[in-house]
Amino acid sequence: MARSFADSTGGPFPVTSHRCHHKQKHCPPVLPGGSLPATPLLFHPHTKGSQILMDLSHKAVKRQASFCNAITFSNRPVLIYEQVRLKITKKQCCWSGALRLGFTSKDPSRIHPDSLPKYACPDLVSQSGFWAKALPEEFANEGNIIAFWVDKKGRVFYRINDSAAMLFFNGVRTADPLWALVDVYGLTRGVQLLGECPLPLAPQMQGTPPGAVV
């Protein structure tokens, strides 16, 4: 029988065997056109890297060992402009590199966990339908809240805490449904999904977000 333990994210996490300073805001998402996500954004419960431990709410994950094999996905497609908000709950200083963030047009429910590579970058992004990039290491501190989203032009933006939005990368194909992709890599050992909050002036957004650094 699986045991459980409390973690800094509030746990509990099931214990399994494998091979190999900010307050959360509660605000309903307001997206262009007034559309709302039908269900909360959680981590996909089954399609995940072999080193990932997930709490029972499917909101928090941690990498149990090593520095890789920790790719995760959202449980449902995200909407255009919908923010994926993550809090870094655990940092492990003995590694280099940090969180990899992006999107995929491949339904995670149709991906066998054993087929996942060790790394999102470069392994997964070399495959069709996957887009991701590494978060700069200086932003990968415990307690930081990272939000990232894609616009209708396929540009991915991110912000750290209350900073201005910054262009992360582009080229995402938005004609198909997109699931969030989070690789708990390197320095980043644990993250927690937070409730989505709207971008400033989201209903008026047609291009670059207000204050975005491009």
Side-chain angles (χ1 to χ4, degrees):
M1 180 179 296
R3 295 172 291 130
S4 63
F5 62 93
D7 189 82
S8 61
T9 58
F13 290 85
V15 178
T16 57
S17 59
H18 294 272
R19 294 173 298 176
C20 4
H21 316 311
H22 300 272
K23 294 182 180 179
Q24 178 176 343
K25 297 179 181 178
H26 179 71
C27 30
V30 178
L31 302 170
S35 55
L36 296 172
T39 58
L41 193 67
L42 306 173
F43 286 107
H44 195 281
H46 307 302
T47 306
K48 58 187 187 296
S50 62
Q51 292 297 322
I52 283 292
L53 296 178
M54 186 177 299
D55 78 343
L56 300 180
S57 72
H58 302 162
K59 292 181 179 179
V61 294
K62 66 174 291 185
R63 190 182 68 246
Q64 66 172 346
S66 185
F67 62 93
C68 57
N69 284 307
I71 294 171
T72 65
F73 302 94
S74 61
N75 65 323
R76 62 162 174 82
V78 298
L79 301 177
I80 300 300
Y81 297 111
E82 179 182 358
Q83 293 187 44
V84 181
R85 299 177 68 241
L86 296 166
K87 182 177 182 178
I88 297 179
T89 57
K90 185 69 175 177
K91 181 178 180 180
Q92 190 169 7
C93 296
C94 59
W95 304 111
S96 62
L99 204 59
R100 275 76 166 120
L101 304 172
F103 296 96
T104 179
S105 60
K106 307 296 184 182
D107 184 349
S109 296
R110 298 177 177 272
I111 301 174
H112 196 287
D114 290 346
S115 71
L116 290 174
K118 291 182 178 181
Y119 318 107
C121 304
D123 296 356
L124 204 55
V125 297
S126 66
Q127 302 177 31
S128 175
F130 295 91
W131 303 269
K133 187 176 178 180
L135 183 75
E137 289 186 24
E138 60 265 31
F139 298 144
N141 295 319
E142 282 187 26
N144 273 358
I145 294 175
I146 298 97
F148 68 101
W149 63 95
V150 63
D151 72 5
K152 64 181 183 179
K153 296 181 179 180
R155 300 177 299 182
V156 177
F157 294 87
Y158 77 109
R159 65 157 47 95
I160 308 298
N161 301 320
D162 295 323
S163 69
M166 294 173 281
L167 180 64
F168 200 18
F169 60 91
N170 53 32
V172 176
R173 187 174 64 250
T174 59
D176 300 321
L178 294 170
W179 287 259
L181 187 167
V182 177
D183 186 0
V184 188
Y185 177 84
L187 292 170
T188 310
R189 192 172 179 192
V191 295
Q192 180 181 10
L193 275 169
L194 304 178
E196 204 270 353
C197 287
L199 291 171
L201 304 178
Q204 288 76 40
M205 286 176 58
Q206 299 297 326
T208 303
V213 178
V214 296

